[in-house]
Amino acid sequence: MAPFRIAVFASGSGSNFQAIVDAVQAGKLDVEVGLLVCDKPGAKVTERAAAAGVETFAFRPKDYASKEAYESEIVKRLQEKGIDLIVLAGYMRIVSDTMLGPFEGRIINIHPSLLPAFPGLDAIGQAVAYGVKVTGVTVHFVDGGMDTGPIIAQRTVELSEGDTADTVAAKIHPVEHQLYPYVIQGIRDGKVTLSGDGRRVNWKQ
Ligand code: GRF
């Protein structure tokens, strides 16, 4: 089978990028990580990519005339590399039609809450401040909204008395690191399909 190529987009630490790379190296995820796209040159994730031998496209949005301009550049690079799936992993930007068009249904994101609860920034802090007893992790297809696309998979994480945003984050991250490679493999295997109404995601056994 031809290799299934993914590009990971990240802005910061890149622990999810690392989990994906580790899963590939361990033979648990049958994809090729063809490119890291990073909007913050110097972010820790770029060091992780260098260590893993993954090519990086790092750019500063302010060096471009518009969002359309940098997204067009990204699309060109993704197409040159034959990227099949875009994996957003802590990429702190909304994706616009410039990328959504050519990669329709082929962009996914991971978010540290049970969507539709707590979209946007600091989802873990929002959940702790709200006082929820259960939160979790969501992987979803990306549309033009903020964490609004069809949900592919979710996992729960329970909060205990005295939990803080930091302690909840420490529970959530390992769940993310397990769930994201699993979902990517499911997509790679053709198990994940979107229903006709474009909202429900079905998993084939
Ligand atoms: C993760 O919590 C992810 O859910 C969110 O951003 C964070 C990225 O963390 N979208 P890392 O850079 O992968 O460590």
Side-chain angles (χ1 to χ4, degrees):
M1 225 196 288
F4 186 88
R5 292 204 181 88
I6 68 168
V8 180
F9 285 43
S11 305
S13 154
S15 69
N16 281 283
F17 170 83
Q18 191 68 56
I20 291 163
V21 164
D22 290 349
V24 172
Q25 283 173 357
K28 293 180 185 157
L29 175 57
D30 180 23
V31 303
E32 201 175 284
V33 183
L35 190 66
L36 168 73
V37 175
C38 179
D39 61 333
K40 293 220 165 58
K44 182 162 179 203
V45 68
T46 61
E47 292 167 28
R48 295 182 191 267
V54 173
E55 186 180 322
T56 296
F57 172 54
F59 67 101
R60 283 186 188 77
K62 65 175 167 53
D63 292 344
Y64 291 80
S66 63
K67 181 169 189 145
E68 194 183 342
Y70 70 72
E71 284 199 348
S72 298
E73 172 74 30
I74 293 171
V75 166
K76 192 182 102 203
R77 287 171 185 258
L78 296 172
Q79 287 173 338
E80 278 167 7
K81 291 241 157 238
I83 296 297
D84 298 296
L85 179 73
I86 297 175
V87 174
L88 307 185
Y91 181 66
M92 305 303 281
R93 291 181 181 275
I94 300 272
V95 171
S96 84
D97 286 346
T98 309
M99 263 175 40
L100 285 168
F103 285 89
E104 198 189 347
R106 296 192 294 144
I107 311 180
I108 61 174
N109 182 44
I110 190 161
H111 184 76
S113 77
L114 291 177
L115 290 170
F118 312 123
L121 288 176
D122 191 22
I124 298 173
Q126 290 184 56
V128 171
Y130 197 93
V132 297
K133 304 295 189 198
V134 178
T135 184
V137 175
T138 303
V139 177
H140 62 92
F141 284 114
V142 171
D143 61 14
M146 169 87 87
D147 303 319
T148 49
I151 290 172
I152 304 170
Q154 294 185 300
R155 294 289 182 272
T156 56
V157 169
E158 291 192 10
L159 278 73
S160 317
E161 220 164 283
D163 258 339
T164 63
D166 284 346
T167 60
V168 175
K171 294 187 204 177
I172 281 191
H173 286 133
V175 175
E176 292 187 324
H177 299 161
Q178 190 272 331
L179 183 62
Y180 222 2
Y182 169 79
V183 169
I184 295 165
Q185 185 65 44
I187 293 172
R188 194 262 182 276
D189 291 340
K191 286 188 177 165
V192 176
T193 53
L194 200 52
S195 67
D197 71 359
R199 193 62 232 176
R200 252 151 295 274
V201 171
N202 303 309
W203 279 80
K204 270 192 236 151
Q205 287 313 307

